[in-house]
Amino acid sequence: MSSDIAQHLAEIAAEMASRSDRGQVAGYIPELAAADPGQFGISVLLADGSQHSVGDSAVPFSIQSISKVFGLAIALGRLGDQLWTRVRREPSGLAFNSILQLESEGGIPRNPFINAGAIVTTDAALGRRPPREYLAELLTFIRTAAGDEDIHIAKSVARSETLTGHRNFALAHFLASQGNLTNPPDHVLGAYFHQCAIAMTVEQLARSGRFLAGLQHLIAPERVRRINALMLTCGHYDGSGEFAFRVGLPGKSGVGGGILAIAPGRASIAVWSPGLNAQGNSQLGTEALEMLARRTGWSIFG
Ligand code: GLN
Protein backbone atom coordinates (compact mmCIF):
# COMPACT_ATOMS: atom_id res chain seq x y z
CA MET A 1 0.00 0.00 0.00
CA SER A 2 2.75 2.45 1.00
CA SER A 3 4.62 2.13 -2.29
CA ASP A 4 1.35 2.39 -4.25
CA ILE A 5 0.57 5.66 -2.51
CA ALA A 6 4.00 7.10 -3.30
CA GLN A 7 3.44 6.18 -6.95
CA HIS A 8 -0.07 7.70 -7.02
CA LEU A 9 1.17 10.93 -5.45
CA ALA A 10 4.04 11.28 -7.91
CA GLU A 11 1.62 10.85 -10.83
CA ILE A 12 -0.92 13.26 -9.34
CA ALA A 13 1.74 15.93 -8.75
CA ALA A 14 2.99 15.54 -12.34
CA GLU A 15 -0.56 15.89 -13.64
CA MET A 16 -1.18 18.99 -11.50
CA ALA A 17 2.08 20.59 -12.66
CA SER A 18 0.77 20.46 -16.23
CA ARG A 19 -2.44 22.37 -15.44
CA SER A 20 -2.68 25.93 -16.73
CA ASP A 21 -6.12 26.74 -15.21
CA ARG A 22 -5.21 26.87 -11.52
CA GLY A 23 -8.10 29.05 -10.21
CA GLN A 24 -7.86 32.43 -8.52
CA VAL A 25 -5.89 33.22 -5.37
CA ALA A 26 -8.06 34.76 -2.58
CA GLY A 27 -7.78 38.48 -3.19
CA TYR A 28 -9.87 39.85 -0.35
CA ILE A 29 -7.23 39.24 2.32
CA PRO A 30 -4.24 41.33 1.12
CA GLU A 31 -1.67 39.03 2.75
CA LEU A 32 -3.05 36.03 0.83
CA ALA A 33 -3.40 37.85 -2.50
CA ALA A 34 0.35 37.59 -3.07
CA ALA A 35 0.42 33.75 -2.99
CA ASP A 36 1.94 31.99 -6.01
CA PRO A 37 -0.75 29.83 -7.71
CA GLY A 38 2.03 27.65 -9.11
CA GLN A 39 2.49 25.96 -5.75
CA PHE A 40 1.12 22.49 -5.06
CA GLY A 41 1.76 20.04 -2.24
CA ILE A 42 0.07 16.91 -0.94
CA SER A 43 0.71 14.64 2.03
CA VAL A 44 -0.92 11.37 3.07
CA LEU A 45 -0.64 9.85 6.53
CA LEU A 46 -1.58 6.16 6.45
CA ALA A 47 -3.00 3.91 9.16
CA ASP A 48 0.38 2.14 9.44
CA GLY A 49 1.91 5.46 10.52
CA SER A 50 3.86 6.02 7.30
CA GLN A 51 3.62 9.42 5.63
CA HIS A 52 4.05 10.19 1.95
CA SER A 53 4.39 13.69 0.57
CA VAL A 54 5.21 15.34 -2.74
CA GLY A 55 5.53 18.87 -4.12
CA ASP A 56 5.59 21.92 -1.84
CA SER A 57 4.80 19.79 1.17
CA ALA A 58 7.13 21.60 3.59
CA VAL A 59 5.92 25.13 2.80
CA PRO A 60 3.68 26.65 5.52
CA PHE A 61 0.43 28.21 4.29
CA SER A 62 -2.54 29.88 5.98
CA ILE A 63 -4.98 27.16 7.03
CA GLN A 64 -7.86 29.68 7.22
CA SER A 65 -11.21 27.89 7.52
CA ILE A 66 -9.64 24.49 8.12
CA SER A 67 -9.11 25.88 11.64
CA LYS A 68 -12.90 25.74 12.07
CA VAL A 69 -12.63 21.96 12.48
CA PHE A 70 -10.29 22.28 15.46
CA GLY A 71 -12.31 25.17 16.92
CA LEU A 72 -15.44 23.02 16.69
CA ALA A 73 -13.72 20.16 18.53
CA ILE A 74 -12.84 22.55 21.35
CA ALA A 75 -16.30 24.15 21.49
CA LEU A 76 -17.95 20.72 21.63
CA GLY A 77 -15.55 19.74 24.40
CA ARG A 78 -16.64 22.75 26.45
CA LEU A 79 -20.35 22.91 25.68
CA GLY A 80 -21.26 19.46 24.41
CA ASP A 81 -24.60 19.25 22.61
CA GLN A 82 -25.62 22.65 24.01
CA LEU A 83 -23.69 24.16 21.14
CA TRP A 84 -26.46 23.00 18.80
CA THR A 85 -28.93 25.45 20.33
CA ARG A 86 -26.81 28.24 18.80
CA VAL A 87 -25.76 26.78 15.44
CA ARG A 88 -27.43 24.22 13.20
CA ARG A 89 -26.12 21.27 11.22
CA GLU A 90 -27.44 21.89 7.72
CA PRO A 91 -25.62 22.85 4.52
CA SER A 92 -26.27 26.49 3.68
CA GLY A 93 -26.12 26.30 -0.11
CA LEU A 94 -24.59 29.77 -0.01
CA ALA A 95 -21.10 31.28 -0.01
CA PHE A 96 -18.94 30.89 3.12
CA ASN A 97 -19.30 34.55 4.04
CA SER A 98 -22.96 35.03 3.14
CA ILE A 99 -25.15 37.07 5.46
CA LEU A 100 -28.40 36.26 3.63
CA GLN A 101 -29.91 33.50 5.79
CA LEU A 102 -28.95 35.00 9.13
CA GLU A 103 -31.78 37.49 9.34
CA SER A 104 -34.55 35.24 8.06
CA GLU A 105 -33.36 32.42 10.33
CA GLY A 106 -33.26 34.48 13.51
CA GLY A 107 -29.49 34.74 13.94
CA ILE A 108 -28.92 30.97 14.15
CA PRO A 109 -26.29 30.06 11.52
CA ARG A 110 -26.82 26.98 9.34
CA ASN A 111 -23.63 25.18 10.38
CA PRO A 112 -20.29 25.68 12.20
CA PHE A 113 -18.23 25.84 8.99
CA ILE A 114 -19.73 28.91 7.30
CA ASN A 115 -18.27 32.10 8.73
CA ALA A 116 -21.38 33.03 10.75
CA GLY A 117 -21.42 29.59 12.36
CA ALA A 118 -17.69 29.63 13.02
CA ILE A 119 -17.99 33.02 14.72
CA VAL A 120 -20.65 31.57 17.06
CA THR A 121 -18.53 28.44 17.62
CA THR A 122 -15.50 30.59 18.43
CA ASP A 123 -17.59 32.61 20.88
CA ALA A 124 -18.68 29.34 22.55
CA ALA A 125 -15.11 28.03 22.66
CA LEU A 126 -13.93 31.32 24.17
CA GLY A 127 -16.40 31.13 27.04
CA ARG A 128 -15.45 33.81 29.54
CA ARG A 129 -11.75 33.64 28.73
CA PRO A 130 -9.64 36.29 27.04
CA PRO A 131 -8.97 35.40 23.35
CA ARG A 132 -5.30 34.74 24.19
CA GLU A 133 -6.21 31.80 26.43
CA TYR A 134 -8.47 30.20 23.85
CA LEU A 135 -5.80 30.60 21.14
CA ALA A 136 -3.24 28.97 23.42
CA GLU A 137 -5.59 26.01 23.94
CA LEU A 138 -6.27 25.79 20.21
CA LEU A 139 -2.55 25.80 19.35
CA THR A 140 -1.86 23.15 21.99
CA PHE A 141 -4.67 21.02 20.55
CA ILE A 142 -3.33 21.32 16.99
CA ARG A 143 0.29 20.76 18.05
CA THR A 144 -0.74 17.65 19.99
CA ALA A 145 -2.79 16.41 17.05
CA ALA A 146 0.12 16.96 14.68
CA GLY A 147 2.79 15.81 17.14
CA ASP A 148 4.71 18.96 16.23
CA GLU A 149 5.43 22.03 18.36
CA ASP A 150 6.50 24.13 15.39
CA ILE A 151 3.03 25.43 14.46
CA HIS A 152 2.31 29.14 14.85
CA ILE A 153 -0.04 31.99 14.06
CA ALA A 154 1.06 34.32 11.23
CA LYS A 155 0.30 37.64 12.92
CA SER A 156 0.63 39.59 9.66
CA VAL A 157 -2.23 37.55 8.14
CA ALA A 158 -4.45 38.09 11.21
CA ARG A 159 -3.70 41.84 11.07
CA SER A 160 -4.39 41.97 7.35
CA GLU A 161 -7.77 40.31 7.79
CA THR A 162 -8.69 42.47 10.78
CA LEU A 163 -8.24 45.56 8.61
CA THR A 164 -10.30 44.24 5.71
CA GLY A 165 -12.77 41.82 7.36
CA HIS A 166 -15.85 44.01 7.01
CA ARG A 167 -18.17 41.12 6.16
CA ASN A 168 -17.09 39.21 9.24
CA PHE A 169 -17.66 42.32 11.37
CA ALA A 170 -21.12 42.62 9.82
CA LEU A 171 -21.85 38.97 10.63
CA ALA A 172 -20.57 39.27 14.20
CA HIS A 173 -22.54 42.42 14.92
CA PHE A 174 -25.68 40.90 13.46
CA LEU A 175 -25.20 37.80 15.62
CA ALA A 176 -24.72 40.05 18.67
CA SER A 177 -27.90 41.97 17.83
CA GLN A 178 -29.75 38.63 17.79
CA GLY A 179 -28.32 37.66 21.18
CA ASN A 180 -26.15 34.86 19.76
CA LEU A 181 -22.77 36.14 21.02
CA THR A 182 -21.74 36.16 24.67
CA ASN A 183 -18.53 38.16 24.09
CA PRO A 184 -18.05 41.55 22.39
CA PRO A 185 -17.82 41.13 18.57
CA ASP A 186 -14.26 42.48 18.41
CA HIS A 187 -13.05 39.91 20.98
CA VAL A 188 -14.68 37.05 19.11
CA LEU A 189 -13.31 38.26 15.79
CA GLY A 190 -9.85 38.77 17.29
CA ALA A 191 -9.86 35.08 18.21
CA TYR A 192 -11.43 34.07 14.88
CA PHE A 193 -8.98 36.00 12.67
CA HIS A 194 -6.01 34.64 14.63
CA GLN A 195 -7.21 31.04 14.38
CA CYS A 196 -7.66 31.46 10.62
CA ALA A 197 -4.09 32.79 10.43
CA ILE A 198 -2.49 29.59 11.78
CA ALA A 199 0.18 28.48 9.31
CA MET A 200 0.93 24.81 8.63
CA THR A 201 2.54 22.66 5.97
CA VAL A 202 0.56 19.83 4.36
CA GLU A 203 2.81 17.41 6.24
CA GLN A 204 1.75 18.96 9.56
CA LEU A 205 -1.88 19.24 8.50
CA ALA A 206 -2.12 15.59 7.43
CA ARG A 207 -0.73 14.53 10.82
CA SER A 208 -3.13 16.85 12.64
CA GLY A 209 -6.06 15.02 11.00
CA ARG A 210 -5.12 11.62 12.45
CA PHE A 211 -7.71 11.94 15.23
CA LEU A 212 -10.44 12.47 12.65
CA ALA A 213 -9.35 9.39 10.72
CA GLY A 214 -9.52 7.29 13.91
CA LEU A 215 -5.74 6.90 13.95
CA GLN A 216 -5.17 8.88 17.18
CA HIS A 217 -7.42 9.23 20.23
CA LEU A 218 -7.88 12.90 21.15
CA ILE A 219 -11.66 13.30 21.45
CA ALA A 220 -14.57 10.87 21.83
CA PRO A 221 -15.23 8.67 18.76
CA GLU A 222 -18.84 9.89 18.67
CA ARG A 223 -17.60 13.49 18.25
CA VAL A 224 -15.19 12.39 15.54
CA ARG A 225 -18.10 10.82 13.63
CA ARG A 226 -20.14 13.96 13.89
CA ILE A 227 -17.35 16.30 12.86
CA ASN A 228 -16.71 14.08 9.84
CA ALA A 229 -20.43 14.19 8.97
CA LEU A 230 -20.36 17.99 9.07
CA MET A 231 -17.17 18.09 6.99
CA LEU A 232 -18.85 15.95 4.35
CA THR A 233 -22.09 17.95 4.24
CA CYS A 234 -20.82 21.48 4.93
CA GLY A 235 -16.99 21.51 4.69
CA HIS A 236 -16.89 23.03 1.20
CA TYR A 237 -19.80 25.50 1.56
CA ASP A 238 -21.95 25.57 -1.58
CA GLY A 239 -19.43 23.24 -3.20
CA SER A 240 -20.00 20.49 -0.60
CA GLY A 241 -22.30 18.40 -2.77
CA GLU A 242 -19.86 18.56 -5.67
CA PHE A 243 -16.93 17.60 -3.41
CA ALA A 244 -18.88 14.62 -1.99
CA PHE A 245 -19.80 13.59 -5.54
CA ARG A 246 -16.27 13.88 -6.94
CA VAL A 247 -14.12 12.88 -3.95
CA GLY A 248 -16.45 11.06 -1.55
CA LEU A 249 -14.55 11.96 1.62
CA PRO A 250 -15.23 14.32 4.53
CA GLY A 251 -13.15 17.41 3.83
CA LYS A 252 -12.60 20.95 5.02
CA SER A 253 -11.23 23.68 2.81
CA GLY A 254 -9.75 27.10 3.51
CA VAL A 255 -9.27 30.16 1.31
CA GLY A 256 -5.52 29.79 1.75
CA GLY A 257 -5.91 26.88 -0.70
CA GLY A 258 -5.61 24.01 1.76
CA ILE A 259 -7.94 21.02 2.12
CA LEU A 260 -7.91 18.43 4.90
CA ALA A 261 -9.64 15.22 3.79
CA ILE A 262 -10.34 12.16 5.91
CA ALA A 263 -10.53 8.54 4.78
CA PRO A 264 -11.92 7.03 8.01
CA GLY A 265 -9.75 4.21 9.36
CA ARG A 266 -7.36 4.52 6.41
CA ALA A 267 -5.70 7.91 6.03
CA SER A 268 -5.53 11.61 6.76
CA ILE A 269 -4.77 13.65 3.66
CA ALA A 270 -3.76 17.30 3.28
CA VAL A 271 -3.39 19.11 -0.01
CA TRP A 272 -2.53 22.70 -0.82
CA SER A 273 -2.62 24.84 -3.92
CA PRO A 274 -3.57 28.52 -3.51
CA GLY A 275 -5.75 28.95 -6.62
CA LEU A 276 -9.46 28.69 -5.74
CA ASN A 277 -12.55 27.69 -7.71
CA ALA A 278 -15.75 29.76 -7.79
CA GLN A 279 -16.85 28.39 -4.39
CA GLY A 280 -13.57 29.41 -2.71
CA ASN A 281 -12.16 25.87 -2.53
CA SER A 282 -8.71 24.91 -3.87
CA GLN A 283 -9.13 24.06 -7.54
CA LEU A 284 -6.13 21.77 -7.94
CA GLY A 285 -6.54 20.48 -4.39
CA THR A 286 -10.00 19.21 -5.25
CA GLU A 287 -8.79 17.65 -8.51
CA ALA A 288 -5.86 15.97 -6.77
CA LEU A 289 -8.15 14.49 -4.10
CA GLU A 290 -10.54 13.27 -6.78
CA MET A 291 -7.66 11.48 -8.52
CA LEU A 292 -6.37 10.02 -5.25
CA ALA A 293 -9.80 8.79 -4.14
CA ARG A 294 -10.41 7.17 -7.51
CA ARG A 295 -7.05 5.38 -7.52
CA THR A 296 -7.24 4.19 -3.91
CA GLY A 297 -10.96 3.43 -3.78
CA TRP A 298 -11.12 5.37 -0.52
CA SER A 299 -14.53 7.00 -1.15
CA ILE A 300 -16.75 6.38 1.88
CA PHE A 301 -19.49 5.46 -0.56
CA GLY A 302 -17.74 2.28 -1.65
N1 GLN B 1 -10.62 34.01 7.37
C1 GLN B 1 -11.47 33.74 6.24
C2 GLN B 1 -12.73 34.58 6.30
O1 GLN B 1 -13.31 34.69 7.33
C3 GLN B 1 -11.80 32.28 6.22
C4 GLN B 1 -12.69 31.90 5.06
C5 GLN B 1 -12.35 30.59 4.43
O2 GLN B 1 -11.25 30.05 4.57
N2 GLN B 1 -13.27 30.08 3.65
O3 GLN B 1 -13.15 35.15 5.33
Side-chain angles (χ1 to χ4, degrees):
M1 166 60 90
S2 276
S3 60
D4 289 354
I5 293 292
Q7 176 76 22
H8 294 325
L9 294 185
E11 288 168 13
I12 290 167
E15 174 76 27
M16 293 303 122
S18 73
R19 293 293 162 91
S20 51
D21 179 8
R22 308 178 79 88
Q24 296 289 319
V25 167
Y28 75 101
I29 302 175
E31 279 282 314
L32 299 183
D36 169 10
Q39 292 166 296
F40 173 86
I42 185 166
S43 185
V44 178
L45 192 292
L46 293 173
D48 67 7
S50 65
Q51 185 163 13
H52 304 270
S53 311
V54 294
D56 299 306
S57 61
V59 180
F61 63 92
S62 197
I63 67 168
Q64 292 294 317
S65 286
I66 302 169
S67 65
K68 293 170 180 170
V69 172
F70 305 108
L72 176 61
I74 291 178
L76 285 172
R78 285 180 77 86
L79 266 84
D81 285 344
Q82 276 245 292
L83 180 68
W84 305 121
T85 61
R86 297 179 57 188
V87 58
R88 296 171 59 205
R89 305 184 291 257
E90 293 297 339
S92 69
L94 292 169
F96 65 90
N97 56 4
S98 176
I99 198 162
L100 216 59
Q101 280 161 344
L102 255 196
E103 182 169 21
S104 58
E105 300 190 356
I108 308 292
R110 278 288 175 107
N111 67 69
F113 292 151
I114 52 171
N115 286 12
I119 291 167
V120 168
T121 305
T122 302
D123 179 64
L126 264 178
R128 297 262 151 246
R129 302 179 287 178
R132 193 178 299 115
E133 269 181 42
Y134 160 64
L135 290 168
E137 182 187 2
L138 181 67
L139 272 178
T140 300
F141 184 95
I142 294 176
R143 287 169 179 162
T144 305
D148 190 336
E149 288 297 302
D150 192 19
I151 295 169
H152 306 278
I153 294 170
K155 297 253 169 53
S156 58
V157 175
R159 211 174 304 120
S160 177
E161 196 172 354
T162 307
L163 294 172
T164 56
H166 303 299
R167 288 187 79 98
N168 286 320
F169 278 99
L171 289 168
H173 281 279
F174 191 80
L175 288 163
S177 80
Q178 295 285 311
N180 202 1
L181 286 189
T182 61
N183 292 282
D186 56 326
H187 279 209
V188 182
L189 288 178
Y192 172 78
F193 290 143
H194 280 80
Q195 82 178 28
C196 288
I198 292 170
M200 293 170 79
T201 68
V202 285
E203 286 170 4
Q204 292 171 324
L205 189 59
R207 283 201 300 275
S208 75
R210 288 175 300 181
F211 76 102
L212 293 170
L215 307 177
Q216 178 197 38
H217 183 85
L218 264 192
I219 63 172
E222 183 180 319
R223 293 236 159 97
V224 166
R225 257 195 313 277
R226 290 173 156 180
I227 292 172
N228 277 320
L230 289 165
M231 287 170 73
L232 184 80
T233 53
C234 311
H236 283 72
Y237 318 111
D238 49 338
S240 299
E242 183 73 6
F243 188 83
F245 185 86
R246 288 172 57 186
V247 180
L249 297 174
K252 184 73 207 81
S253 67
V255 290
I259 302 175
L260 174 63
I262 302 301
R266 302 181 199 264
S268 170
I269 309 150
V271 61
W272 170 60
S273 186
L276 308 177
N277 62 22
Q279 286 79 36
N281 304 312
S282 176
Q283 176 148 322
L284 294 194
T286 306
E287 287 183 40
L289 288 169
E290 184 178 11
M291 284 178 73
L292 184 66
R294 188 176 294 139
R295 283 160 189 245
T296 54
W298 281 346
S299 164
I300 61 169
F301 301 108

